Amino acid sequence: MHGRVKVKTTAQQEEEKRKEREKKLKIYVAARDACFSKRKEGVCDDEALQLTQQLLSSNPDFATLWNYRREILMHLETVKDRDEMQNIYEAELSFLEACLKVNPKSYGSWHHRGWVSARLPRPDWARELSLCDRCLSLDDRNFHCWDYRRMVVKVSGVPVDQELEFSDRLIGSNFSNYSSWHYRSTLLPLLHPQTPEAGQEPPHASSPRGPQSHRVCEEQLLKEYELVQNAFFTDPNDQSAWFYYRWLLGRAEREETVSCVYVSREDERVAVAFSRPVNICDLPPGTINDVANEHNLTVHWTGSHTHRDCALYTGRVESWCRDTATDQELFRSELSVEKTSVLQSELQSVKQLQELEPLNKWCLLTIILLMRALDPLGYEKETLAHFQTLKQVDSMRSEYYSDLCSKFMIENTILKMEYAEVRVFSITDRNLTSLCHLDQLLLVTHINLSSNRLQRLPPQFAMLQCLEVLEADNNFLENLEGVYHLPRLQEVSLKNNSILSCRCSFRAQISVSSGTPVLGIGSFCDLCSYLAAYK
Amino acid sequence: MAAEDLPSEFDVVILGTGTVHLSFLSGDNFLFHLRRSYYAANWASFTFNALLTWIQEQQVSSCLWASTPQVSPQSHLCVLIGGASARARQGLAEEESAEAEEESAEAEEESAEAEEESAEAEEESAEAEEESAEAEEESAEAEEESAEAEEKSAEAEEEKKINYAQLVKEGRRFNIDLVSKLLFSRGSLVDLLIRSNVSRYTEFKNVTRILTYHHGNLQQVPCSRADVFASRQLSVVEKRKLMRFLTSCIEETEMDQAYSNQPYSKYLQDQQLGENLQHFLLHSIAMVTEDTPTEAGLASTRHFLRSLGRYGNSPFLFPVYGLGEIPQCFCRMSAVFGGIYCLRHSVCCLIVDRDANRCKAVIDSRGQRISCSHFVVEDGYLEALGCLFVCRLLSRAILITDSSVLPSDSEQQVSMVTIPPGEVCQSAVKMVELCSSTMTCMPGTYLVHLTCQSVGSAFEDLSQLVTKMFQTPESQEPGTTIDPRRPTVLWSLYFNMADGSVPGVEGQGLPSNVHVCSGPEGSLDHEHSIKQAELIFQRILPDEEFCPPAPNPEDIIYDGESPTPSAEEDSVKEAGQQEESGGDLNIRYTTV
């Protein structure tokens, strides 16, 4: 065969490439050194601009050079007029586009672009937006671009509805994108805020609603439910849509309230439960030292301008005033009647999906959450069954599900306790792995946590200021730090646990195991040494 | 090259430049003969004006040849021209068609003669007679499309935005293909383009949507994840079912053996998908018929799905400037490495060594003897030589319309439309609607290709569908109500062409080193052609790689030259002559 094309061998090509690289490196190092020495001498000339441009166009992640470049540009601002600067900055933007092509996720390039855009005498924001669009069409999860875009939108005042359309478009092309869904969740409350009368006003309206509510009006909510359902029916394994769905189903942030004030004459104590952590002041001395008189207490939460009154009448040893979990619908969404029917239909849809995808974890979890929002006690049995399935299909997160299930079981028990109007909290043989909502148990005198899988009684256990009897047999308790500060505790039963260390002294009747001596009230003991001796 | 004498020795002589031919690329010594003034034979793209000339040629040649019954019994060339300005032409064309009928009798006789002559020519395999050469040329030109011309008048419509004169005036700017095909993003042609580096000469548009005709309506077929998500016609449960079916298809789970002898339609029925989804899957995604076996149906579904998302939201690509670009790109690459092309040039006879049953040389139409080791020819030419009869035909229609069949936000949609058999036409019709950014029609218009297996003539097969989906002179008859949103047909062309999928003519007494490849067939993809090209290539060069990557210009060594960059560039120009751009140019695509 004649006329064949002769081609270089791979070895030849390799060698050439190596030489090429060597040559490039030499040039690069020389230019870098030149830049550094110029900067040291404080030179801000065109040559420095060119040198940094050469270097940055091959390596746009060289932060020092971007800084140098900004120094030069700021110097030029002092010597050139507005139009000249406009041209220089426009050239800078084109140069930056080239850099972004080299590395679309270069921190330096995006930051510099933001800096230049902000200093440009006559900025062209439309051009910046279209740059972002192009960039996001290539990689819709480029968070640098998302950040820059948000800046452009903010500065140029793009209307919110246009931005919502933008989010429609992005979700339409690929709904597996947290950025798009999240952006949506920030836009909707601005564009379609919840009308005040639709939201059930909390009992104490004394606290003004925050300037921006995070809720969305019901009409728009329905549309969003539909949109997001399309996403999770199309791909139930994609979690971004499920997270957005949970945001939609979620309720407002808890009101800042003083949820409970408890006064005890005997102990000269006042216990106050707040809806979130606070710094407290000391009880003014002599507040309730009077044995017989009536006391009217008012607790003011200065941070949130709320307060709660509590009266201790003559002859009473204790008194309290509180919101119950039931009143606050604490463990449910804040729902109007219509919304309940909406949630009911949402539950139907997700159940429909579950029939098609019985082992999908997101679907199961969402069913559980919807059932909680609708009727936590009524759906208790089904909820527990779903938790069982969840732990099997997603065994990697079985402990998470156990904790979540514990939380729901505790919530249900609180509700039951409140309906029964008792101060006894009993939750046994429920596989509890963690304790929560302890602030709701301020008034509880008897607690029974036996036969669960608890490993600790956390420090927050100290919130049970009225607790007299603690039963926690048959658990895996290793330490008891939560029982250190319980002033009224009289009886503790911790049979069949695995307590390793405890360094506390308290007066209580402790029965660790059957057949062990019972410590009488008032006898102080070092439990740790006691246990050590017992072992 | 036509004016000069050609070298008298080649490794391979190739007559015609269809897509099949052009996949030959190695450094061999090729001579391509093109008997026409354009590349790619039936694969050709024409400018609008060239297409009009082609139509005239077909009409003229049909007067001479094409009424020969055994060549194309049902051919039907029908040009419909809309707009008032077409009137003058119309009169002329009608005259022509009258002549055509008169002359058809003569034509038959002549064609018989020509066949005899050409047969002799081959047998004698010696001297080239000028006459027979001419006859051959003419007979080949007659080929398959052709036949009695029939022009239908269009009612003059006023206030038409684009008229015929504008189409003619702008005609140079866009290319119209004779065949209508698409490229699967993971089909063998795309692989070949990338592997061979021919892709550096190509540019593509994505097909942006898949449509189907269902219950008398056009619907968008949701096939990608984003489509399914956005679809407004599917319920959420349908969405889940469809996605689950598609996902399980891709995973290539073992097919249920119970369906090994059952049709795909039955399999789909049993998946509890609902009528809508079954329609989408059978006709638009698998693109098979009711009786296709399950295994084949699943395979085509998978092929479709694998191509999805590689370059965009549909599995198909369409070359900018039309399909005729692809053979030309291969030509360009081949020319860079020494292939010689000769337009308006033909082979008039072969010199055959009977004992060895090999073709030793060809005599070209100017009487030059060219030795060759192999001779590749498209069956169309053989047909003209009387060695082959076309038994299956495709019905084609090309329309220029003023709006899209399914208007949307974007005017630049490229749509693939499937019309299942029995919906309007007897056979399944594939329709491709191209927008102006594909450079196949002028801005403000759409180019619509319709293809189906022939039952009757192209006009009989397709006009009913066209009348139904578009506004044509027929659909404007009194008494019929027309949906004003329907696009208006500005110009239309109906013709039949041979279906190249008919088994080849191997072993029909041809010399062993004469290789025949078929013309374009009716399928949507290029699999058949590529497979054929590879087969022929391997017969000619059993030890060579088919379409190896073309080396980058900088890696080529030129004898006696130092490898300095500037010298290299120059020498590339010398060697390449036509080479336009070097470097790595992958498939580029733009979205709407």
Side-chain angles (χ1 to χ4, degrees):
Chain A
M1 300 251 181
H2 48 274
R4 290 229 132 176
V5 176
K6 283 182 196 161
V7 176
K8 289 171 190 165
T9 62
T10 30
Q12 275 172 305
Q13 288 178 12
E14 284 297 311
E15 179 61 19
E16 264 180 36
K17 271 186 196 154
R18 196 187 58 78
K19 277 185 185 157
E20 191 74 14
R21 274 200 296 269
E22 238 168 48
K23 221 161 82 188
K24 270 190 186 166
L25 183 66
K26 238 181 218 164
I27 298 168
Y28 182 86
V29 169
R32 182 199 62 194
D33 293 343
C35 272
F36 281 177
S37 62
K38 265 177 172 292
R39 194 183 185 202
K40 220 175 202 171
E41 291 156 21
V43 182
C44 291
D45 57 2
D46 280 346
E47 197 200 1
L49 266 186
Q50 273 166 19
L51 275 175
T52 48
Q53 177 157 352
Q54 277 168 22
L55 288 167
L56 286 166
S57 53
S58 61
N59 175 16
D61 296 299
F62 204 149
T64 313
L65 293 185
W66 286 118
N67 282 338
Y68 184 29
R69 225 175 147 72
R70 279 189 284 272
E71 285 164 18
I72 301 166
L73 289 168
M74 280 158 78
H75 167 75
L76 289 177
E77 275 183 20
T78 61
V79 293
K80 306 236 178 199
D81 68 21
R82 220 174 117 86
D83 285 345
E84 282 173 315
M85 279 323 286
Q86 173 79 17
N87 291 337
I88 288 171
Y89 279 134
E90 274 172 10
E92 194 72 2
L93 289 178
S94 317
F95 162 57
L96 274 161
E97 262 161 63
C99 293
L100 289 173
K101 275 180 195 152
V102 177
N103 177 12
K105 294 188 172 178
S106 156
Y107 282 85
S109 309
W110 283 106
H111 176 251
H112 191 64
R113 195 171 185 91
W115 186 84
V116 171
S117 289
R119 297 182 86 87
L120 197 62
R122 291 182 299 277
D124 181 358
W125 296 116
R127 178 192 136 110
E128 295 308 295
L129 275 179
S130 81
L131 173 103
C132 292
D133 282 359
R134 255 183 300 147
C135 206
L136 288 176
S137 74
L138 295 171
D139 176 5
D140 54 14
R141 303 186 202 178
N142 184 339
F143 69 85
H144 304 268
C145 183
W146 273 99
D147 280 345
Y148 180 69
R149 198 179 178 287
R150 272 190 284 271
M151 188 280 280
V152 171
V153 167
K154 199 174 161 195
V155 176
S156 62
V158 178
V160 182
D161 57 337
Q162 256 178 46
E163 285 302 284
L164 195 67
E165 273 169 32
F166 162 77
S167 137
D168 281 341
R169 208 167 65 234
L170 255 82
I171 290 171
S173 66
N174 176 18
F175 61 81
S176 302
N177 190 337
Y178 285 105
S179 306
S180 316
W181 290 112
H182 174 259
Y183 194 38
R184 218 177 160 72
S185 76
T186 63
L187 298 170
L188 284 173
L190 298 176
L191 200 60
H192 304 282
Q194 188 179 39
T195 42
E197 64 270 24
Q200 214 176 356
E201 280 300 311
H204 346 270
S206 53
S207 70
R209 258 186 185 290
Q212 77 281 358
S213 161
H214 293 292
R215 299 307 301 156
V216 179
C217 74
E218 193 165 322
E219 193 192 347
Q220 185 64 30
L221 263 184
L222 291 177
K223 286 183 195 161
E224 294 301 308
Y225 285 142
E226 197 189 322
L227 180 76
V228 76
Q229 266 179 27
N230 276 315
F232 63 66
F233 267 86
T234 304
D235 185 357
N237 291 315
D238 182 82
Q239 49 185 5
S240 56
W242 288 108
F243 276 112
Y244 182 66
Y245 191 52
R246 273 177 78 168
W247 175 78
L248 288 175
L249 291 171
R251 61 200 166 87
E253 273 173 34
R254 229 175 118 184
E255 288 290 322
E256 294 189 333
T257 57
V258 180
S259 52
C260 182
V261 177
Y262 168 83
V263 192
S264 163
R265 193 188 298 274
E266 194 185 339
D267 299 341
E268 290 181 40
R269 288 177 76 89
V270 175
V272 184
F274 298 90
S275 58
R276 63 173 178 81
V278 288
N279 294 317
I280 50 161
C281 58
D282 288 330
L283 189 65
T287 313
I288 38 176
N289 55 356
D290 196 326
V291 180
N293 281 348
E294 179 176 328
H295 292 282
N296 280 308
L297 268 113
T298 304
V299 177
H300 289 277
W301 187 351
T302 45
S304 62
H305 308 285
T306 59
H307 63 90
R308 183 172 288 278
D309 304 318
C310 181
L312 180 62
Y313 299 108
T314 318
R316 301 279 298 269
V317 291
E318 60 179 5
S319 172
W320 61 83
C321 176
R322 63 162 181 159
D323 295 328
T324 61
T326 342
D327 291 340
Q328 294 180 74
E329 297 195 314
L330 197 60
F331 310 133
R332 305 174 44 177
S333 302
E334 285 178 346
L335 302 164
S336 65
V337 180
E338 302 88 70
K339 265 195 185 163
T340 307
S341 70
V342 167
L343 284 190
Q344 196 71 53
S345 83
E346 288 305 301
L347 179 62
Q348 290 316 315
S349 309
V350 186
K351 272 186 169 171
Q352 205 174 21
L353 177 60
Q354 198 231 344
E355 274 168 35
L356 296 165
E357 303 287 325
L359 300 180
N360 183 281
K361 63 167 179 171
W362 296 103
C363 189
L364 285 164
L365 185 59
T366 308
I367 288 179
I368 291 173
L369 295 173
L370 279 165
M371 286 177 164
R372 299 288 314 156
L374 279 161
D375 183 359
L377 291 175
Y379 285 116
E380 185 175 292
K381 216 170 146 190
E382 278 177 75
T383 309
L384 285 171
H386 286 320
F387 265 119
Q388 275 310 315
T389 325
L390 255 183
K391 285 185 209 174
Q392 279 159 20
V393 299
D394 189 15
S395 57
M396 297 277 280
R397 281 161 206 84
S398 68
E399 288 305 303
Y400 165 74
Y401 297 125
S402 294
D403 284 357
L404 195 63
C405 187
S406 302
K407 180 176 165 226
F408 293 158
M409 288 306 109
I410 289 170
E411 286 175 0
N412 283 4
T413 312
I414 292 173
L415 291 176
K416 284 178 200 162
M417 177 182 73
E418 286 184 354
Y419 286 130
E421 293 182 359
V422 292
R423 294 172 73 181
V424 177
F425 184 86
S426 172
I427 182 165
T428 60
D429 206 10
R430 285 294 194 181
N431 287 316
L432 286 197
T433 51
S434 71
L435 292 173
C436 57
H437 291 306
L438 294 167
D439 58 317
Q440 297 294 318
L441 303 178
L442 176 61
L443 302 173
V444 167
T445 55
H446 288 67
I447 192 164
N448 187 355
L449 302 169
S450 297
S451 302
N452 282 303
R453 289 163 51 211
L454 294 170
Q455 285 176 310
R456 57 197 291 254
L457 296 174
Q460 300 92 294
F461 206 72
M463 289 177 183
L464 281 75
Q465 286 290 309
C466 301
L467 193 66
E468 291 164 9
V469 179
L470 163 67
E471 285 175 75
D473 300 340
N474 301 318
N475 275 293
F476 306 109
L477 293 175
E478 290 174 0
N479 71 59
L480 302 171
E481 53 189 327
V483 292
Y484 296 172
H485 307 288
L486 296 174
R488 298 206 158 191
L489 193 61
Q490 293 168 20
E491 272 183 59
V492 179
S493 176
L494 299 168
K495 287 176 207 156
N496 199 14
N497 276 294
S498 31
I499 295 163
L500 299 173
S501 69
C502 174
R503 205 169 48 76
C504 73
S505 38
F506 57 98
R507 53 195 180 92
Q509 181 181 350
I510 299 177
S511 51
V512 176
S513 177
S514 55
T516 50
V518 169
L519 301 171
I521 299 164
S523 66
F524 291 83
C525 82
D526 185 346
L527 189 65
C528 200
S529 59
Y530 165 73
L531 284 170
Y534 175 67
K535 269 182 184 166
Chain B
M1 275 279 177
E4 302 157 34
D5 272 351
L6 292 163
S8 59
E9 222 183 302
F10 283 95
D11 291 326
V12 180
V13 172
I14 298 176
L15 187 58
T17 52
T19 303
V20 181
H21 308 76
L22 289 159
S23 316
F24 296 94
L25 260 179
S26 87
D28 300 306
N29 200 353
F30 285 136
L31 172 64
F32 292 89
H33 279 275
L34 297 131
R35 298 175 351 80
R36 317 216 173 126
S37 52
Y38 52 85
Y39 284 85
N42 282 338
W43 296 90
S45 291
F46 294 103
T47 62
F48 186 64
N49 312 53
L51 182 63
L52 294 179
T53 315
W54 178 81
I55 292 166
Q56 271 178 336
E57 270 175 27
Q58 296 304 317
Q59 284 170 343
V60 170
S61 58
S62 74
C63 301
L64 293 169
W65 305 109
S67 39
T68 318
Q70 70 267 40
V71 175
S72 44
Q74 289 152 327
S75 291
H76 184 128
L77 179 71
C78 169
V79 187
L80 289 163
I81 298 158
S85 53
R87 289 231 157 163
R89 235 192 83 85
Q90 184 197 321
L92 182 76
E94 267 170 2
E95 276 174 40
E96 272 178 15
S97 68
E99 273 172 44
E101 272 160 48
E102 277 171 36
E103 283 182 42
S104 63
E106 284 173 48
E108 251 175 88
E109 285 167 33
E110 273 184 61
S111 76
E113 269 174 49
E115 271 165 44
E116 274 171 38
E117 277 176 47
S118 56
E120 275 170 41
E122 216 192 3
E123 275 171 22
E124 284 170 16
S125 67
E127 296 145 49
E129 279 175 56
E130 284 296 312
E131 264 181 64
S132 74
E134 268 173 46
E136 217 180 289
E137 200 163 327
E138 280 168 309
S139 68
E141 229 164 76
E143 262 187 11
E144 57 283 315
E145 330 83 16
S146 55
E148 45 186 295
E150 190 186 325
E151 295 238 359
K152 299 222 169 176
S153 67
E155 272 177 44
E157 270 187 84
E158 304 196 17
E159 294 169 358
K160 181 117 292 165
K161 273 189 275 174
I162 290 155
N163 61 31
Y164 182 73
Q166 271 174 290
L167 286 178
V168 173
K169 189 167 162 254
E170 296 286 316
R172 286 186 182 284
R173 295 172 187 270
F174 50 90
N175 280 358
I176 299 175
D177 292 316
L178 287 186
V179 286
S180 170
K181 281 174 176 296
L182 297 171
L183 283 79
F184 272 101
S185 301
R186 289 202 189 276
S188 46
L189 182 53
V190 169
D191 285 349
L192 192 64
L193 287 169
I194 295 172
R195 195 173 68 208
S196 61
N197 286 343
V198 173
S199 57
R200 61 175 69 145
Y201 306 114
T202 56
E203 191 177 352
F204 293 93
K205 280 260 170 214
N206 247 305
V207 170
T208 52
R209 56 184 186 173
I210 314 285
L211 304 176
T212 188
Y213 200 72
H214 189 33
H215 294 321
N217 286 315
L218 265 186
Q219 294 186 342
Q220 185 157 357
V221 178
C223 36
S224 70
R225 199 163 163 268
D227 287 348
V228 174
F229 168 66
S231 168
R232 290 186 181 279
Q233 47 190 333
L234 297 183
S235 72
V236 284
V237 173
E238 280 181 309
K239 288 183 179 193
R240 182 79 291 269
K241 285 180 171 171
L242 178 60
M243 282 304 288
R244 193 160 60 173
F245 181 80
L246 296 179
T247 322
S248 74
C249 260
I250 295 175
E251 281 164 1
E252 279 193 68
T253 44
E254 197 68 9
M255 190 187 82
D256 191 345
Q257 283 310 308
Y259 290 97
S260 55
N261 291 316
Q262 299 267 13
Y264 190 46
S265 51
K266 174 83 173 65
Y267 177 76
L268 291 176
Q269 228 166 51
D270 293 354
Q271 304 299 307
Q272 288 156 346
L273 292 162
E275 197 260 335
N276 231 359
L277 297 182
Q278 283 178 51
H279 175 97
F280 291 157
L281 285 162
L282 190 69
H283 298 296
S284 293
I285 293 179
M287 293 183 282
V288 294
T289 54
E290 297 273 348
D291 46 11
T292 305
T294 301
E295 206 163 357
L298 279 173
S300 7
T301 308
R302 255 174 229 143
H303 185 48
F304 182 100
L305 294 173
R306 265 200 293 267
S307 290
L308 204 64
R310 183 176 193 185
Y311 298 115
N313 205 22
S314 94
F316 302 115
L317 295 174
F318 183 80
V320 177
Y321 294 107
L323 287 163
E325 280 297 294
I326 291 183
Q328 291 203 46
C329 293
F330 279 103
C331 288
R332 207 169 292 170
M333 180 63 94
S334 168
V336 169
F337 297 102
I340 292 173
Y341 290 81
C342 224
L343 286 167
R344 298 180 186 279
H345 206 82
S346 184
V347 167
C348 55
C349 58
L350 309 180
I351 298 168
V352 178
D353 179 339
R354 259 195 210 163
D355 297 335
N357 191 30
R358 283 181 74 82
C359 169
K360 289 163 70 183
V362 298
I363 309 284
D364 76 0
S365 48
R366 279 177 295 121
Q368 192 189 346
R369 181 192 156 118
I370 298 164
S371 307
C372 65
S373 331
H374 290 276
F375 179 60
V376 179
V377 61
E378 185 172 303
D379 56 9
Y381 298 101
L382 288 180
E383 190 191 311
L385 290 167
C387 300
L388 171 81
F389 303 115
V390 174
C391 43
R392 231 164 67 180
L393 291 171
L394 297 174
S395 288
R396 295 267 299 109
I398 299 175
L399 320 172
I400 298 176
T401 66
D402 67 345
S403 62
S404 172
V405 285
L406 190 68
S408 70
D409 302 341
S410 164
E411 280 189 0
Q412 297 299 318
Q413 297 268 18
V414 182
S415 314
M416 158 76 206
V417 191
T418 50
I419 297 111
E423 191 81 37
V424 183
C425 308
Q426 251 177 292
S427 34
V429 181
K430 292 184 177 96
M431 178 166 130
V432 176
E433 186 190 71
L434 302 164
C435 60
S436 59
S437 63
T438 60
M439 308 308 282
T440 56
C441 52
M442 61 182 283
T445 65
Y446 292 82
L447 186 72
V448 180
H449 283 284
L450 295 114
T451 314
C452 72
Q453 293 292 340
S454 296
V455 178
S457 71
F459 187 76
E460 286 161 3
D461 287 343
L462 296 168
S463 62
Q464 210 191 339
L465 177 69
V466 172
T467 311
K468 210 160 181 175
M469 292 177 82
F470 302 91
Q471 289 188 47
T472 63
E474 282 79 21
S475 58
Q476 282 165 340
E477 277 164 25
T480 51
T481 49
I482 304 158
D483 186 344
R485 287 167 301 175
R486 265 200 249 164
T488 305
V489 176
L490 303 175
W491 182 88
S492 67
L493 166 69
Y494 292 88
F495 60 95
N496 291 88
M497 65 197 302
D499 184 350
S501 62
V502 179
V505 285
E506 302 311 317
Q508 286 200 10
L510 288 170
S512 62
N513 60 341
V514 173
H515 308 279
V516 183
C517 55
S518 63
E521 25 60 84
S523 68
L524 190 64
D525 55 28
H526 293 77
E527 304 303 307
H528 179 77
S529 314
I530 302 298
K531 207 176 279 169
Q532 212 179 19
E534 194 164 358
L535 267 172
I536 295 173
F537 182 87
Q538 264 150 16
R539 274 211 304 273
I540 296 174
L541 295 162
D543 303 324
E544 294 284 322
E545 189 191 343
F546 179 58
C547 280
N552 289 321
E554 65 268 24
D555 292 336
I556 300 171
I557 300 173
Y558 300 93
D559 293 331
E561 284 188 51
S562 61
T564 57
S566 61
E568 252 179 54
E569 266 168 42
D570 291 346
S571 50
V572 169
K573 274 181 206 146
E574 274 167 39
Q577 280 164 6
Q578 297 187 37
E579 221 240 352
E580 288 182 346
S581 65
D584 285 24
L585 216 164
N586 278 318
I587 291 190
R588 280 181 285 157
Y589 66 96
T590 44
T591 47
V592 184

